[in-house]
Amino acid sequence: MKYTVVPALNDEEFGQKAADVFIKAIEGFQSPPSVILPTGDTPLPFYDSLVDRAKASGLSEFYYCQLDEYLGLHAGHEKLFINQMKKNLLDPLNIRVRLAFESAANPGHMIDNVISRFSYAGHPDLAVIGIGGNGHVGFNEPGSAFEDGVRVVTLSEQTIYDNSQNWDLAQHGEFPTRAITLGISDLKKARQTILLVRGEKKANILARALTGPIGPSVPASYLQEQQNVTVVADMGALSQMSPDIVFK
Ligand code: PGA
């Protein structure tokens, strides 16, 4: 087993423990690392904790790289992941952005830019990720090959359902059906990975990802083959994992 599990009793402890793991990770790099960070509900206590910690005692420098983004929303749209990241973390901490997807009319051009940037400057050093209810990472939906790189994808029905729960049609317009995402092959190149998981609704998919068969039907299962993985998860999310793994 190559991953370490850090269990948390509640949201506050989850945020603090995730911040501890993250700060130790970025301090371990010799120069400021490029870091992929996720959006969604899961990381919010982590971002709150990071902002508090940074205000209290400062934070080592790092650069932000975007993991995924909806396509087709206008630049100021509050549901764009880049705008959520700015609000929750990047602006309060003045974090510099190394890679951001614009919700551009020309995703092909954007993808070419990302590929050439990765081949010139290297891939992000640290990947902080979440897991979707269907096992997706970023928007690498079930069926995505581990060799896939950055690309445009069509969202699965489950992702559209899950992510549209807090989406007000009158306020936010039509829910997007396409997105751009870094691929599993990009995530595999990170030297270190932190998986954040909260809530009992993720318990089954987390157990499948970490202990089930490895393959594209559960994209997050790539983590079983990855070095240097830390899983920060609450007890609900860990409820279907063997205690031998959680408390080893
Ligand atoms: P969530 O999303 O944190 O809102 O559950 C996670 C994901 O879809 O990757």
Side-chain angles (χ1 to χ4, degrees):
M1 208 74 57
K2 291 178 195 139
Y3 52 84
T4 305
V5 179
V6 177
L9 290 177
N10 52 44
D11 288 350
E12 193 185 346
E13 192 177 277
F14 174 89
Q16 287 168 356
K17 288 191 167 178
D20 288 342
V21 170
F22 178 80
I23 289 168
K24 194 166 169 222
I26 56 171
E27 286 176 348
F29 290 95
Q30 279 176 349
S31 51
S34 296
V35 178
I36 295 167
L37 291 169
T39 37
D41 287 339
T42 304
L44 295 178
F46 163 55
Y47 295 149
D48 287 346
S49 181
L50 265 190
V51 170
D52 288 348
R53 297 271 284 274
K55 283 182 180 156
S57 53
L59 198 64
S60 295
E61 212 183 346
F62 67 92
Y63 298 98
Y64 167 67
C65 297
Q66 202 168 2
L67 171 60
D68 52 3
E69 185 60 279
Y70 294 125
L71 286 175
L73 304 183
H74 65 82
H77 201 292
E78 68 177 274
K79 292 289 189 181
L80 269 186
F81 289 164
I82 188 69
N83 293 335
Q84 295 181 34
M85 285 304 300
K86 282 182 180 161
K87 178 167 151 251
N88 295 327
L89 191 75
L90 305 179
D91 289 351
L93 298 189
N94 264 325
I95 291 165
R96 278 180 287 175
V97 175
R98 184 156 276 171
L99 171 68
F101 303 125
E102 302 127 45
S103 195
N106 191 343
H109 183 61
M110 197 159 47
I111 288 167
D112 289 346
N113 277 344
V114 174
I115 291 170
S116 56
R117 187 179 310 203
F118 283 169
S119 63
Y120 174 72
H123 277 72
D125 307 288
L126 170 64
V128 185
I129 54 173
I131 180 171
N134 61 359
H136 76 198
V137 176
F139 281 131
N140 292 281
E141 301 285 30
S144 302
F146 288 180
E147 296 76 26
D148 283 344
V150 57
R151 68 202 187 286
V152 169
V153 293
T154 300
L155 300 179
S156 71
E157 276 181 29
Q158 186 175 343
T159 295
I160 292 175
Y161 176 80
D162 289 346
N163 290 18
S164 61
Q165 293 309 300
N166 297 321
W167 187 283
D168 177 352
L169 277 179
Q171 189 186 347
H172 301 121
E174 286 296 309
F175 192 87
T177 55
R178 293 191 327 143
I180 185 165
T181 186
L182 297 185
I184 299 289
S185 77
D186 300 313
L187 297 171
K188 283 173 84 168
K189 295 195 176 91
R191 285 191 271 160
Q192 210 169 330
T193 305
I194 301 171
L195 172 66
L196 305 177
V197 199
R198 267 196 311 135
E200 203 174 343
K201 65 176 193 247
K202 298 280 177 71
N204 183 262
I205 195 66
L206 179 64
R208 284 174 62 201
L210 296 183
T211 60
I214 300 170
S217 60
V218 180
S221 64
Y222 86 92
L223 291 168
Q224 292 185 51
E225 297 177 332
Q226 191 74 355
Q227 302 292 329
N228 235 329
V229 177
T230 306
V231 180
V232 184
D234 67 9
M235 299 314 286
L238 291 169
S239 57
Q240 292 189 30
M241 296 275 293
S242 148
D244 298 350
I245 295 175
V246 176
F247 299 108
K248 76 171 182 286

